[in-house]
């Protein structure tokens, strides 16, 4: 499950698996294209890891997708059932067997929100993403 983030970036390298954009994220695809054109055509623009000027005829822009999480309540319910059975034996056998679908979904949503808050509070939010909606952008043939 992915949550779309309405941010864009250009790929400042040849490798489409590893995106690097020193300028970060852009609000629109057009802003990313404009910044990419500038970066790849200006004399003091993009240089690769060896300090060489970019010689390509195009660059890529793409949309950023950060991972989104959904915590399934059934695992928590099942764990609670097993713990109750271990502690209380057969008296707990049927506990939580008839939880309504909407109640399970409510618990899933609550667990998911709590997990996301925990990620934020503990500074464990992901600092990685995938890039989708990738498009090649041609550079002017009369570039420097």
């Amino acid at each position: 499950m992915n949550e779309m983030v309405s941010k864009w970036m250009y790929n400042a390298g040849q490798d489409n698996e590893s995106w690097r954009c020193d300028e970060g994220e852009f609000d629109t695809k057009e802003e990313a294209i404009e910044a990419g054109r500038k970066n790849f055509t200006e004399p003091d623009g993009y240089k690769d890891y060896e300090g060489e000027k970019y010689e390509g005829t195009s660059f890529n822009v793409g949309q950023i997708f950060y991972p989104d999480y959904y915590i399934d309540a059934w695992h928590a319910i099942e764990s609670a059932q097993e713990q109750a059975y271990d502690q209380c034996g057969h008296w707990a056998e049927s506990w939580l067997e008839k939880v309504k679908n909407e109640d399970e979904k409510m618990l899933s949503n609550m667990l998911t929100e709590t997990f996301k808050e925990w990620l934020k509070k503990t500074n464990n939010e992901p600092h990685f993403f995938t890039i989708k909606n990738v498009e090649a952008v041609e550079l002017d043939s009369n570039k420097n």
Side-chain angles (χ1 to χ4, degrees):
M1 190 175 193
N2 281 328
E3 178 179 296
M4 188 169 84
V5 176
S6 59
K7 299 286 184 176
W8 291 78
M9 70 185 310
Y10 62 82
N11 187 4
Q14 301 285 331
D15 180 7
N16 280 326
E17 285 193 31
S18 177
W19 283 59
R20 178 174 66 90
C21 181
D22 295 335
E23 295 178 71
E25 304 170 351
F26 300 90
D27 290 330
T28 67
K29 178 170 71 170
E30 292 74 21
E31 289 175 357
I33 290 172
E34 182 180 331
R37 280 191 194 284
K38 183 177 177 183
N39 187 49
F40 289 113
T41 57
E42 286 191 349
D44 292 330
Y46 175 80
K47 302 253 187 318
D48 68 15
Y49 291 112
E50 296 168 357
E52 297 295 319
K53 179 82 174 112
Y54 185 70
E55 296 296 329
T57 59
S58 66
F59 64 96
N60 290 330
V61 294
Q63 195 166 23
I64 298 169
F65 287 78
Y66 287 98
D68 192 23
Y69 307 98
Y70 182 77
I71 308 300
D72 186 2
W74 179 245
H75 298 292
I77 292 170
E78 188 175 49
S79 178
Q81 287 172 317
E82 289 171 3
Q83 291 176 50
Y85 185 83
D86 289 346
Q87 294 172 36
C88 302
H90 75 277
W91 299 104
E93 280 181 356
S94 61
W95 181 56
L96 298 177
E97 284 185 354
K98 296 182 181 180
V99 172
K100 296 182 219 168
N101 286 341
E102 60 267 18
D103 292 341
E104 185 177 330
K105 185 176 179 178
M106 177 177 54
L107 178 57
S108 290
N109 291 337
M110 292 169 68
L111 290 171
T112 299
E113 287 307 309
T114 299
F115 182 69
K116 288 179 180 181
E117 287 176 28
W118 174 80
L119 287 173
K120 189 176 278 191
K121 282 183 179 181
T122 60
N123 197 28
N124 282 306
E125 290 178 295
H127 299 289
F128 50 87
F129 50 83
T130 60
I131 301 286
K132 296 185 180 184
N133 303 322
V134 175
E135 294 180 27
V137 177
E138 294 296 320
L139 291 168
D140 296 334
S141 59
N142 60 355
K143 70 176 183 119
N144 296 339

